[in-house]
């Protein structure tokens, strides 16, 4: 079992931090005697835990979750600016400072899925705890529009193209 906590896209909101840790704890509580779990993060790997059945180690890994990397401009519909983080003055010109973060979350998800698929035959579970990674198929045309740069369209288009293959591999 892999518990993938998206510390990049989950905002540093106390309620979301608590909910994420609670989900991790619930997943751990449902482990059977022979199950092993790994805890992986999309950004900060310092608290990650390799496969183990040791609940104390898993709890420490889950408790090390520290989110809030993304600015959430265009990346999450209900989000606002992260006022605790300094930011380049790109909000007004439509530059999405979270494009790399979203791509990194998907890249981590792809690597975890690839690792699980290559593991010996046994029950495999991937739990991805995230606010989601915004990918808009309608705006993935690669054409810049008012308020959206070509860079944003390219980054979005890349995610839209990668997701179907990722979901097929995970199945």
């Amino acid at each position: 079992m892999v518990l993938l906590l998206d510390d990049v896209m989950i905002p540093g909101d106390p309620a979301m931090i608590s909910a994420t840790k609670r989900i991790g704890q619930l997943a751990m509580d449902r482990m059977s005697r022979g199950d092993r779990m790994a805890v992986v993060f999309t950004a900060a790997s310092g608290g990650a835990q390799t496969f183990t059945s040791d609940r104390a180690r898993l709890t420490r890994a889950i408790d090390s979750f520290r989110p809030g990397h993304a600015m959430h401009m265009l990346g999450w519909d209900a989000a606002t600016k992260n006022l605790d983080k300094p930011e380049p003055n790109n909000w007004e010109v439509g530059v999405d400072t979270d494009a790399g973060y979203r791509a990194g979350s998907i890249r981590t998800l792809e690597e975890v899925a690839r690792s699980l698929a290559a593991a010996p035959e046994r029950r495999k579970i991937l739990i991805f705890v995230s606010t989601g990674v915004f990918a808009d198929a309608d705006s993935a045309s690669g054409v810049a529009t008012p308020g959206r740069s070509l860079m944003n369209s390219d980054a979005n288009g890349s995610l839209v193209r990668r997701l179907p293959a990722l979901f097929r591999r995970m199945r």
Side-chain angles (χ1 to χ4, degrees):
M1 187 180 320
V2 175
L3 176 64
L4 175 55
L5 303 177
D6 193 358
D7 56 342
V8 164
M9 296 309 296
I10 294 174
D13 174 68
M16 292 193 127
I17 294 169
S18 176
T20 299
K21 290 179 179 182
R22 191 170 47 254
I23 291 167
Q25 198 68 38
L26 288 169
M28 185 180 67
D29 290 346
R30 286 177 172 71
M31 289 173 53
S32 299
R33 186 176 200 110
D35 288 341
R36 294 181 306 139
M37 178 190 281
V39 180
V40 180
F41 302 96
T42 54
S45 61
Q49 174 61 56
T50 59
F51 286 102
T52 185
S53 58
D54 184 328
R55 292 175 187 269
R57 294 171 103 188
L58 292 168
T59 297
R60 277 193 301 277
I62 293 165
D63 285 345
S64 75
F65 174 71
R66 301 287 181 269
H69 297 276
M71 301 297 291
H72 291 295
M73 180 209 163
L74 306 178
W76 185 43
D77 290 345
T80 59
K81 286 185 186 182
N82 183 342
L83 298 176
D84 295 331
K85 297 190 80 144
E87 62 182 84
N89 192 17
N90 292 332
W91 285 76
E92 293 80 21
V93 295
V95 174
D96 182 0
T97 56
D98 289 344
Y101 287 134
R102 282 194 300 281
S105 285
I106 294 299
R107 191 170 31 260
T108 304
L109 183 58
E110 287 170 332
E111 290 303 317
V112 168
R114 186 174 297 124
S115 296
L116 278 176
E121 288 300 318
R122 58 183 307 179
R123 182 175 72 146
K124 301 171 192 177
I125 299 171
L126 170 58
I127 302 168
F128 182 41
V129 183
S130 177
T131 57
V133 177
F134 180 77
D136 181 8
D138 293 335
S139 67
S141 64
V143 176
T145 59
R148 174 170 274 160
S149 71
L150 185 57
M151 179 185 81
N152 292 354
S153 290
D154 286 347
N156 182 56
S158 173
L159 288 176
V160 168
R161 288 186 297 278
R162 288 165 60 192
L163 290 175
L166 171 61
F167 294 142
R168 276 193 305 278
R169 278 196 309 273
M170 289 187 340
R171 274 193 305 258

